Amino acid sequence: LLLNTREVYVGQPVTATLKLFTRINLSGINELKYPDFKGFLRQDIETPQLTNLESEVIDGIQYGTGVVQRFVLYPQISGEIRIDPIQITALVQERKSVNDNFFNDPFFDNFFSSVTTVPRMISTQPAVIRVKPLPVPQPADFHGAVGTFDLSSSLSKTDVEVNDAITYTLTLTGTGNLNLAGEPLINFPQGIEKYDPKVTVKSSGTASGTKIYEFLLIPRNTGTFDLPPVS
């Protein structure tokens, strides 16, 4: 199990990669068993099915390697949190001679042999992640999203007739748990009617992505209105 970091704040994402290393022939993976990841929320990253292994040399030894699954862990509590082993049942190819009693010559043994598949369970080593508490005091409008974010806004148009609708869009972009970013609290000026926003989350399959809030606004009075800053 490969982790991008082992020290984070509560809510800060940890990217994990479950990678297989082998020096023997495999025909596939039969079963994948995860622990309960107590203290974390887990979100799987879309990972292509492992069908072929790539050759990789590590410390002068050649391995067949491949990524089984990628996922993101969001720690929910502070302290040292243990990640228990992940278990994989791999299908190992073993060559067996069809007539072991008569053929000792390597050529004949190879020629008159068959391949059988034997399940073998392997597991990752346990890991510990140190989770630090969030700084205090927390902002009044903090909802739990931790990461690196950018917030921008735009209007569909700035000149409009009374009772004509416009769209006010807030775009939150960055790396972190975007799902925990709540609806921004905005005090729109009197004379502006506001409807609940349409919320769209666009994720790249990792902890990075974009959350878009689209507010429908209708000015009921004439005049110039200043929209307040949003945090």
Side-chain angles (χ1 to χ4, degrees):
L1 182 65
L2 307 177
L3 304 172
N4 70 326
T5 181
R6 291 178 183 263
E7 184 171 299
V8 292
Y9 285 97
V10 171
Q12 184 179 349
V14 178
T15 302
T17 302
L18 183 60
K19 189 173 182 180
L20 182 68
F21 297 80
T22 179
R23 297 180 62 193
I24 58 179
N25 291 330
L26 303 178
S27 62
I29 294 174
N30 188 39
E31 186 180 12
L32 180 59
K33 186 177 180 181
Y34 287 108
D36 58 9
F37 292 112
K38 187 176 181 180
F40 294 96
L41 288 178
R42 183 184 117 216
Q43 178 183 341
D44 285 345
I45 299 172
E46 186 174 346
T47 306
Q49 184 177 358
L50 182 60
T51 56
N52 294 298
L53 298 179
E54 297 183 358
S55 178
E56 189 173 339
V57 177
I58 303 171
D59 296 330
I61 301 176
Q62 187 171 14
Y63 294 87
T65 67
V67 173
V68 178
Q69 182 66 53
R70 289 188 174 93
F71 53 93
V72 180
L73 297 174
Y74 297 95
Q76 302 300 293
I77 56 175
S78 60
E80 291 191 347
I81 308 180
R82 171 187 163 100
I83 300 175
D84 289 328
I86 301 172
Q87 296 179 345
I88 296 176
T89 302
L91 301 177
V92 178
Q93 291 182 344
E94 292 185 355
R95 187 172 293 278
K96 183 178 180 182
S97 174
V98 296
N99 199 336
D100 290 330
N101 295 328
F102 294 97
F103 296 105
N104 294 317
D105 187 288
F107 170 77
F108 285 103
D109 179 64
N110 194 47
F111 187 77
F112 291 98
S113 63
S114 62
V115 175
T116 60
T117 300
V118 178
R120 180 180 297 178
M121 192 186 75
I122 55 178
S123 62
T124 64
Q125 293 294 322
V128 174
I129 295 185
R130 181 171 176 262
V131 184
K132 298 177 288 185
L134 293 173
V136 291
Q138 296 178 2
D141 55 357
F142 176 67
H143 288 276
V146 178
T148 303
F149 302 104
D150 252 347
L151 183 64
S152 62
S153 64
S154 64
L155 282 169
S156 58
K157 50 188 173 181
T158 55
D159 292 308
V160 64
E161 299 290 334
V162 172
N163 297 325
D164 280 353
I166 59 175
T167 301
Y168 178 55
T169 303
L170 289 173
T171 303
L172 182 69
T173 303
T175 301
N177 191 350
L178 288 168
N179 291 323
L180 287 184
E183 179 184 333
L185 300 176
I186 309 173
N187 293 319
F188 289 100
Q190 285 190 349
I192 298 287
E193 186 175 345
K194 178 204 78 163
Y195 291 85
D196 290 339
K198 173 187 175 184
V199 182
T200 306
V201 177
K202 298 178 179 179
S203 174
S204 60
T206 64
S208 299
T210 301
K211 192 167 189 176
I212 302 171
Y213 306 84
E214 295 177 283
F215 293 87
L216 186 67
L217 306 180
I218 300 178
R220 297 303 189 186
N221 300 326
T222 60
T224 299
F225 297 91
D226 292 325
L227 300 184
V230 180
S231 67

